[in-house]
Amino acid sequence: MQYSADVMLHLLPDIFHGSNWDTKFDTWLDFCEFYISYFDSAYGGYMQVNKEYEKPYQYKFKPMTVEKLEDEMADCFGKNN
């Protein structure tokens, strides 16, 4: 999971600040593929072994600015460094 989160953290700048729309979109697709293929399965395996840490998801997201979204994602994926 740590490796996956680090990779996704490093993709964020091109998602939010890529030189053009194609770069941003292609990087977003890479991000989604990496999340689905690696991070999600690693997290699922971790939760199978560590069920005591699983809690019901209780958060509801409010609309936010792109800058706030970038900060929140960077904070989330950077927590394991």
Side-chain angles (χ1 to χ4, degrees):
M1 271 185 348
Q2 184 174 357
Y3 172 77
S4 300
D6 191 48
V7 169
M8 291 187 294
L9 180 65
H10 285 85
L11 291 173
L12 291 179
D14 280 342
I15 291 171
F16 289 97
H17 307 286
S19 58
N20 57 51
W21 173 250
D22 289 337
T23 299
K24 292 178 182 184
F25 184 74
D26 289 345
T27 307
W28 176 249
L29 290 177
D30 291 343
F31 180 94
C32 292
E33 183 176 339
F34 204 88
Y35 177 84
I36 292 167
S37 298
Y38 301 103
F39 186 84
D40 191 47
S41 63
Y43 181 75
Y46 175 82
M47 292 313 295
Q48 288 286 339
V49 174
N50 299 285
K51 291 181 181 182
E52 68 272 15
Y53 297 116
E54 188 170 8
K55 296 178 183 171
Y57 190 76
Q58 57 186 332
Y59 302 104
K60 294 184 180 181
F61 294 102
K62 297 177 182 175
M64 64 178 74
T65 65
V66 172
E67 294 81 13
K68 176 78 171 158
L69 176 61
E70 180 182 11
D71 291 343
E72 292 292 323
M73 291 178 75
D75 183 49
C76 177
F77 290 118
K79 287 204 181 291
N80 59 44
N81 289 330

